[in-house]
Amino acid sequence: MNPNHKTSYRSPENRLNTRANSGHGTNHWISQRLSAGALLGLNLWFICAVLCHGPMGYDGVRAWFQDPLSFILLSLYLGVLTYHGLMGIKVVADDYITCLSWRNGTLWGIYSIFGIGAIYGWVQLLTVYIQGLTHAS
Amino acid sequence: MTAPLKKQPIPDRPLSPHLQIYRPQMTSVLSILHRMTGIFLMGGIGIFIAWAWAVNHGVDTYAHFLTYSRSFLGRAVSIGIMASFFYHMGNGIRHLAWDLGYGFDLKTTHRSGMAVLIFTLIATAMGFSVLLFG
C-alpha cells in the first residue's frame, strides 16, 4: 500500500505552491474549534469572576490569584488563549504570506515570542500562588 | 507517479479577492473583521501577562499598571480590546454554528451578522461603563 496515499488527492502544483497545512489540516481545523469551545466557557467564567468580585484592589486581586480554582482556570485561560491565537495567526499567514520562507520565519518568530511570553506569564501566576501557600502555612 | 512540476511564478495580475473592484458585503466585511480582531486580541494576551507580572511585583508596580490602564491611551486600548473580545466571541459562536451546519442561508447569515454587531455594541458599552464607574 502506498504510504503517501493520504496526500495523493493534492495536485503536485498545490503541494509545491501552498504547503499550507500539508498532511495535518484536519487536526488543525478540529483543534481550532475545540480550543474555541473551551475559550467560550473560560471567557464566561472570567467575565463572571470580574463582575462578581467588583473592584478588588491589590489585596483582593492577589487573594483571587491565590485561590486554587482561580489559579488553575487562569493558567488554563492563558494557555488556551495563546494556543488558539497562534492557530489563528497560522491560518492568516497561510492565506496572505505567499513566500514560504517568509511565512515560516514570521510564524516561528511569533510562536517564539508568544510561547516565551505565555510561559513567563504562567511563572508570574505560579509565583503569586506559591506565595499564598507559604504565607498560609 | 506524477513528475514534479516547476514552481509556478506568482501571476502579474490582481489576486483574489480583487479589492480594487470588489464591493464590500456584510459577509466579507464581518469575516475580515473576525481576523483583524483576532490579531488585535493577541495584544490582549500581552496585557494579561503584564497584569500577572504587576500583581507578582507588589502593590507599587500594580498601582503603576493601573495608572497606565486609566490614562487616555489605556482607556482607548481597553475599549478596542473589549470590542474585539466581544465581536470575536460572538462571531466565533456564529462560526461554530456554521461548522455544525446551521445558519448558512443568506437571510440567516445577515441576521446573525447583525445580531453579533448589536451584541458587540451593547456588551462593549456595558463593559466600559463597568470599567469607568464599577
Side-chain angles (χ1 to χ4, degrees), chain A residues 12-13 16-17 19 29 33-34 36-37 39-40 43-44 46-47 50-51 54-58 61-62 64-65 74-75 77-78 81-82 84-86 89 91-92 95-96 98-100 110 114 117-118 120-121 123-125 127-128 131, chain B residues 1-10 15-17 32 34-36 38-39 41-46 48-49 51-60 62-63 66 85-86 88-90 92-93 95-96 99-100 126-127 130 133-134:
Chain A
E13 299 96 313
L16 200 64
N17 280 345
R19 276 185 272 175
W29 191 90
R33 268 72 192 166
L34 286 177
L39 277 180
L40 263 182
N43 282 344
L44 289 178
F46 188 75
I47 294 168
V50 170
L51 286 179
M56 285 189 268
Y58 178 72
V61 176
R62 206 173 166 83
W64 185 52
F65 273 33
L74 281 170
S75 304
Y77 199 31
L78 178 61
L81 271 177
T82 309
H84 184 77
L86 291 179
I89 292 281
V91 175
V92 174
D95 282 352
Y96 296 115
T98 46
C99 172
L100 194 62
I110 294 173
F114 278 91
Y120 181 76
V123 169
Q124 306 302 308
L125 292 173
T127 310
V128 176
Q131 284 166 356
Chain B
M1 189 179 159
T2 321
L5 297 177
K6 280 184 185 170
K7 188 173 169 64
Q8 300 296 306
I10 296 169
L15 293 173
S16 176
I32 196 72
H34 191 72
R35 290 185 165 199
M36 286 165 70
I39 291 169
L41 283 171
M42 293 295 279
I45 297 177
F48 187 107
I49 294 167
W51 181 47
W53 172 82
V55 173
N56 185 29
H57 280 76
V59 66
D60 291 339
Y62 192 69
L66 287 186
F85 174 85
F86 288 121
H88 201 83
M89 186 169 72
I93 294 171
H95 269 276
L96 288 175
D99 294 336
L100 294 170
M126 286 170 70
V130 168
F133 311 111

Side-chain angles (χ1 to χ4, degrees), chain B residues 23-34:
Chain B
R23 186 172 67 87
Q25 298 158 49
M26 191 180 199
T27 44
S28 59
V29 171
L30 294 191
S31 172
I32 196 72
L33 257 183
H34 191 72

Side-chain angles (χ1 to χ4, degrees), chain B residues 84-132:
Chain B
S84 301
F85 174 85
F86 288 121
Y87 176 78
H88 201 83
M89 186 169 72
N91 205 47
I93 294 171
R94 197 164 159 249
H95 269 276
L96 288 175
W98 286 333
D99 294 336
L100 294 170
Y102 298 108
F104 271 122
D105 63 286
L106 202 57
K107 202 173 169 187
T108 314
T109 307
H110 283 166
R111 278 184 181 168
S112 60
M114 193 50 83
V116 169
L117 288 177
I118 292 169
F119 165 75
T120 305
L121 273 177
I122 294 173
T124 307
M126 286 170 70
F128 195 62
S129 60
V130 168
L131 202 72
L132 278 183

